[in-house]
């Protein structure tokens, strides 16, 4: 089986990266060939190395305010590694139209809300304040605009009485770890991997 060569972009702890790594088995249609962080020394880079995957920091700070210069360096690095698809997993930089255009149709993201509700930051507190009874996460294509691209799949989790943002984040994260491998597998041409025992999991189909 030819596997799609995937790069995962992270900024921190990398638990979604870990889920994507752990799902790589004989029937997995993707291979994570490189992990790039815009912050050096983060736990996610160690996770990649422990899995035998190349792990590199390309620090946005080195490029000052020049977002596009950072993205040109990132783009050149990914092309050098013959990357076919880029998966953002807790990558906390907004990408400009330069990078989004260069990787159009090959760039996906996971976001901790049921889009189109709550794009951007502080999703858990905003979901709680809204009074919604369901929260969750979405995997979507990245287009210009923050968290607005076409949705690939979503997983829902219940909002419980007395929830705090941290409690809701932890519940949502468990669903993310099931949803992201299923969606990445799907866009790489395979069947969605088993969705596991998530409490409520919907619609991981293109
Ligand atoms: C995840 O909850 C992910 O959905 C979120 O950051 C966390 C990263 O955790 N991403 C965003 O908020 C993107 N706007 P991880 O590093 O443990 O995967």
């Amino acid at each position: 089986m030819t596997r799609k060569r995937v790069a995962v972009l992270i900024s921190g702890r990398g638990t979604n990266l870990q889920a994507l790594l752990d799902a790589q088995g004989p029937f997995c249609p993707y291979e994570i060939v490189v992990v790039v962080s815009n912050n050096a020394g983060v736990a996610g880079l160690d996770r990649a190395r422990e899995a035998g995957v190349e792990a590199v920091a390309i620090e946005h700070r080195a490029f000052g305010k020049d977002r596009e210069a950072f993205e040109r360096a990132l783009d050149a690095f990914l092309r050098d590694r013959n990357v076919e698809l880029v998966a953002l997993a807790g990558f906390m930089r907004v990408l400009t139209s330069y990078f989004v255009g260069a990787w159009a149709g090959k760039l996906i993201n996971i976001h901790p809300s049921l889009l189109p509700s709550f794009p951007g930051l502080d999703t858990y507190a905003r979901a709680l304040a809204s009074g919604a009874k369901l929260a969750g996460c979405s995997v979507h294509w990245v287009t210009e605009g923050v968290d607005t691209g076409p949705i690939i799949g979503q997983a829902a989790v219940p909002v419980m009485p007395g929830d705090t943002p941290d409690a809701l984040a932890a519940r949502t994260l468990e669903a993310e770890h099931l949803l992201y491998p299923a969606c990445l597998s799907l866009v790489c041409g395979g069947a969605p991997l088993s969705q596991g025992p998530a409490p409520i999991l919907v619609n991981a189909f293109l």
Side-chain angles (χ1 to χ4, degrees):
M1 179 202 281
T2 25
R3 290 160 203 258
K4 274 250 158 70
R5 293 175 63 81
V6 171
V8 181
L9 270 49
I10 61 167
S11 296
R13 66 187 172 178
T15 67
N16 275 290
L17 164 66
Q18 189 72 59
L20 295 176
L21 288 166
D22 291 347
Q24 293 186 116
F27 301 108
C28 181
Y30 64 82
E31 179 188 0
I32 297 172
V33 293
V34 68
V35 172
V36 181
S37 173
N38 65 309
N39 296 317
V42 296
L45 290 172
D46 295 332
R47 292 177 189 273
R49 288 188 192 109
E50 272 159 36
V53 174
E54 184 183 16
V56 173
I58 300 178
E59 292 194 274
H60 65 275
R61 287 179 201 86
F63 298 87
K65 290 205 167 102
D66 192 344
R67 281 180 180 266
E68 207 177 295
F70 164 64
E71 292 178 5
R72 275 198 302 275
L74 188 57
D75 177 58
F77 179 79
L78 298 173
R79 292 190 191 282
D80 181 67
R81 297 301 190 273
N82 295 316
V83 166
E84 297 173 284
L85 193 123
V86 178
L88 308 180
F91 183 72
M92 303 309 276
R93 299 290 297 169
V94 173
L95 293 163
T96 73
S97 55
Y98 167 76
F99 192 91
V100 171
W103 288 89
K106 300 172 189 165
L107 182 58
I108 69 173
N109 180 45
I110 188 158
H111 179 77
S113 77
L114 290 176
L115 293 171
S117 293
F118 316 124
L121 299 174
D122 298 324
T123 57
Y124 313 109
R126 288 158 63 208
L128 292 177
S130 77
K133 299 298 179 204
L134 284 177
C137 49
S138 308
V139 174
H140 65 94
W141 295 104
V142 178
T143 55
E144 283 190 50
V146 177
D147 304 323
T148 52
I151 293 167
I152 298 162
Q154 293 183 309
V157 298
V159 175
M160 306 296 265
D163 253 353
T164 60
D166 283 352
L168 182 56
R171 195 174 310 122
T172 304
L173 194 63
E174 282 184 32
E176 292 186 47
H177 296 165
L178 297 170
L179 181 70
Y180 211 179
C183 290
L184 180 57
S185 178
L186 198 64
V187 301
C188 288
L193 298 177
S194 160
Q195 295 181 342
I200 307 163
L201 190 58
V202 291
N203 181 28
F205 299 96
L206 289 174

